[in-house]
Amino acid sequence: MLKLLARAFSLKKRIIFGYIITGAVACAIVLLSWGTFDRFAADLRHIVQFSHYTVDSMTFAAQMAEMQRNALIYISEGHDSAGDQVDALYKEMLGNLDRDRGLPEADAAAARAGTHLHEYYDAFNEVRQQRDMQEWLVKIELREQASQAQQLIEQLAADKCDERLECSWVLTAFLQIEKNAYRYFDSLDSYFIRAASDRIQETRTMLDRFRDWSQAAELAAVLNQYDSAFLEAVQRTRGYLYLVNVVMAAEAYETMYQTRQLSQIMTDESERVQQQTASHIQARLRLLLLSSGLLILFIILFSWLITKS
């Protein structure tokens, strides 16, 4: 059969036909190889991109932990630098989230993390306002009212030498109020709120007995202002503690949870692309080996036909 085919065509035609077939198969192999490596390069870019997204997610989690640390430092110590660091981290984390990852579920997880991050930051800003006001009340307003009361009592004691004992009682009562108030802000033990309120009520009763004093009305007004400032400071303290221990803690947990979800999605997609790449490479390699084998067989057959001329 092969001899008949060889005799049916002239040597020149067989050589030309052989070159055409060889060139066509070689071109097919080249195109197949180019397609294989092009697909491999694209898959490799996807793997690298997803790896970067995974690293970004890990960086985001570390930034969230750093933000919490600085927030707690600000809340406990009141350092403005820690509060400013929270602001800087928030802006940096927003830039980390605001990017298209090419996966709807990943973008949805990033959006949820961003929502909880916003809530956390808003709660922190509210804490800053509450804490600043509480600090002003405790360190300035309460001290000013206490100093004013002490000055009035000292003035009264100087004017009425025969009533110095009663003046010392009133001064001691004011000092006990101040002691219990500051013990509460140091320990956050509600017992001292009740103790301070009891001392305030006792002092009001004491001032009622000394209403004939010229400074009694002023002392009562100062006591009322102190009571009002103290209760406001207590409410602001409880307010920002609730924000810290409940709202901020919950939002931080949800943000970290969504970040872990995002990282897992990126890791799973990267592994899927890796498996898909390996499968494509194996399939293309089999095609290349088959094409190369066919080319070698054709060259052998073509050489044999030429020798039979």
Side-chain angles (χ1 to χ4, degrees):
M1 181 68 178
L2 292 175
K3 290 181 179 181
L4 292 175
L5 290 173
R7 291 171 183 174
F9 299 96
S10 64
L11 178 59
K12 182 179 180 180
K13 290 181 178 180
R14 277 180 279 167
I15 292 174
I16 293 173
F17 179 75
Y19 281 135
I20 292 173
I21 297 299
T22 302
V25 175
C27 288
I29 292 174
V30 170
L31 290 174
L32 187 61
S33 300
W34 177 82
T36 299
F37 286 110
D38 184 65
R39 180 60 181 269
F40 174 73
D43 289 342
L44 185 61
R45 285 193 296 270
H46 285 140
I47 293 171
V48 172
Q49 187 177 31
F50 289 135
S51 297
H52 287 163
Y53 289 150
T54 302
V55 172
D56 288 344
S57 299
M58 296 173 64
T59 302
F60 184 90
Q63 289 173 329
M64 189 67 212
E66 182 68 11
M67 178 184 279
Q68 284 184 278
R69 188 182 73 84
N70 281 281
L72 292 176
I73 290 174
Y74 174 81
I75 292 164
S76 60
E77 304 294 337
H79 296 321
D80 288 333
S81 59
D84 295 338
Q85 185 65 20
V86 172
D87 294 336
L89 285 169
Y90 172 72
K91 294 176 182 177
E92 187 175 348
M93 292 166 74
L94 282 183
N96 194 334
L97 288 175
D98 293 340
R99 62 181 64 182
D100 185 12
R101 292 165 177 78
L103 292 174
E105 59 271 25
D107 291 336
R112 290 192 296 270
T115 299
H116 291 294
L117 178 62
H118 291 313
E119 295 294 334
Y120 180 91
Y121 185 68
D122 289 343
F124 175 72
N125 284 329
E126 180 66 22
V127 167
R128 292 187 76 169
Q129 294 176 4
Q130 294 283 354
R131 192 187 186 286
D132 289 346
M133 189 62 189
Q134 183 258 15
E135 188 173 7
W136 178 81
L137 288 168
V138 172
K139 293 184 177 180
I140 297 177
E141 181 67 13
L142 290 181
R143 288 180 179 177
E144 287 183 353
Q145 298 300 329
S147 297
Q148 186 177 354
Q150 183 176 357
Q151 291 173 2
L152 287 171
I153 294 170
E154 289 175 352
Q155 181 181 352
L156 181 64
D159 294 342
K160 296 180 181 264
C161 297
D162 56 338
E163 296 179 354
R164 285 184 177 178
L165 180 60
E166 289 84 352
C167 291
S168 66
W169 292 347
V170 176
L171 180 59
T172 300
F174 269 97
L175 292 175
Q176 288 179 342
I177 293 171
E178 189 175 18
K179 179 187 72 174
N180 286 294
Y182 280 99
R183 280 188 176 180
Y184 167 73
F185 296 119
D186 289 337
S187 65
L188 299 179
D189 187 348
S190 59
Y191 165 79
F192 295 108
I193 298 176
R194 295 191 298 272
S197 297
D198 291 343
R199 298 291 85 75
I200 289 172
Q201 188 58 41
E202 290 174 2
T203 306
R204 282 199 180 100
T205 303
M206 187 182 300
L207 289 175
D208 286 341
R209 294 203 311 252
F210 305 138
R211 65 172 60 93
D212 57 328
W213 289 357
S214 59
Q215 286 87 356
E218 282 187 77
L219 281 172
V222 170
L223 180 62
N224 290 334
Q225 292 175 2
Y226 191 97
D227 186 21
S228 177
F230 172 65
L231 292 178
E232 183 180 355
V234 168
Q235 291 302 318
R236 291 188 180 277
T237 301
R238 288 176 170 176
Y240 81 70
L241 287 177
Y242 170 80
L243 288 170
V244 171
N245 296 326
V246 179
V247 178
M248 289 177 63
E251 296 301 337
Y253 173 81
E254 287 296 330
T255 303
M256 295 294 287
Y257 174 77
Q258 295 301 331
T259 303
R260 288 193 295 270
Q261 291 291 101
L262 177 60
S263 179
Q264 188 61 48
I265 291 171
M266 292 293 101
T267 301
D268 293 343
E269 184 63 18
S270 179
E271 291 177 354
R272 186 192 68 79
V273 173
Q274 291 179 36
Q275 294 173 357
Q276 179 178 307
T277 301
S279 177
H280 285 161
I281 290 175
Q282 291 175 0
R284 296 298 177 90
L285 284 176
R286 285 193 291 267
L287 285 175
L288 285 172
L289 290 174
L290 179 61
S291 301
S292 300
L294 290 175
L295 180 60
I296 292 172
L297 287 175
F298 179 78
I299 292 173
I300 293 172
L301 178 61
F302 177 69
S303 301
W304 180 80
L305 291 174
I306 293 298
T307 58
K308 296 300 181 180
S309 303

